[in-house]
Amino acid sequence: MTGYVVALTGGIASGKSAVERRFEALGIHAYDADLAARAVVEPGSEALSEIAQAFGPEVLAADGRLDRTAMRQRIFADPTARTTLEGILHPRIRTWLRDAVAADEGPYCILSIPLLVENREHYAWVDRILVVDAPEHVRLDRLTRRDSIEPALAAKMIAAQASHPERLAIADDVIVNDGDESSLDEAVAALDRTYRELAAR
């Protein structure tokens, strides 16, 4: 089992995935809450059944999987729906992540949690927090292009998450990702050296 766990977080479209890939290229395993969220709602799962009961069959696609676009529209239009969905998913996601960390055998591992600020009390067991930071106008531009959505929806998605000061307040380390992705290489390599040293203590 890995003894040292670094939680990676950042606002939507800040570049968490790009940072995560660079740690993985250095031989570090990253366990992503977004992947866990997909894993726990596979067809036949208890979570998917609960979601269908709570929201109706219209949130299921023709193949029986969760229709993420329909679900996204529901939760951003209705805060109560978001709370209901999180109540179904988050405990299962946390269990999935704890199990993954427990089985890891690397020098340390990365736990990628987009909503870490909002769920900090559930992850008090992590050793360190790395925040990927980018200005809001950069994130807005990335999000509209990446997801092919209107700027108004992108702005609503950004506003639904923790604020910039709230994320920085919990950070042990910060990577600013406001330029070309290749500029992340050096920052990640330096943090990898630091985390290996900390894990070895």
Side-chain angles (χ1 to χ4, degrees):
M1 173 180 172
T2 294
Y4 203 83
V5 182
V6 178
L8 170 66
T9 194
I12 192 167
S14 59
K16 294 181 300 296
S17 297
V19 170
E20 196 177 305
R21 286 194 299 271
R22 280 159 174 79
F23 277 107
E24 289 179 321
L26 295 171
I28 299 303
H29 293 130
Y31 302 105
D32 195 312
D34 287 340
L35 290 180
R38 291 177 184 275
V40 300
V41 295
E42 282 293 305
S45 66
E46 196 177 272
L48 188 62
S49 175
E50 282 189 32
I51 289 168
Q53 285 172 359
F55 296 100
E58 63 269 21
V59 297
L60 298 182
D63 63 359
R65 293 180 179 276
L66 183 64
D67 183 336
R68 294 180 179 280
T69 303
M71 197 72 247
R72 175 186 278 179
Q73 289 169 349
R74 286 284 287 276
I75 64 174
F76 283 108
D78 178 6
T80 310
R82 181 191 179 106
T83 303
T84 300
L85 180 67
E86 289 177 351
I88 295 168
L89 292 182
H90 286 187
R92 292 176 169 93
I93 290 168
R94 289 194 291 270
T95 298
W96 190 96
L97 292 170
R98 279 303 288 256
D99 291 347
V101 169
D104 191 83
E105 296 180 352
Y108 68 93
C109 70
I110 298 288
L111 205 59
S112 185
I113 308 168
L115 301 179
L116 182 61
V117 172
E118 296 87 336
N119 295 279
R120 181 71 185 99
E121 70 277 12
H122 297 296
Y123 295 97
W125 50 274
V126 304
D127 297 291
R128 202 165 177 93
I129 295 175
L130 167 59
V131 170
V132 184
D133 193 35
E136 190 168 314
H137 71 275
V138 172
R139 294 167 56 210
L140 195 63
D141 181 56
R142 287 175 184 161
L143 191 53
T144 52
R145 285 189 287 113
R146 185 189 78 187
D147 291 7
S148 301
I149 57 176
E150 294 297 318
L153 176 57
K156 193 178 282 190
M157 290 165 70
I158 288 172
Q161 294 187 337
S163 69
H164 180 253
E166 286 173 327
R167 268 191 297 274
L168 293 185
I170 67 165
D172 295 300
D173 306 295
V174 178
I175 290 179
V176 178
N177 179 30
D178 58 358
D180 190 83
E181 261 195 28
S182 61
S183 64
L184 297 172
D185 294 343
E186 194 175 323
V188 170
L191 285 172
D192 174 63
R193 290 191 293 272
T194 298
Y195 297 154
R196 287 174 189 269
E197 288 170 12
L198 289 170
R201 287 179 185 172

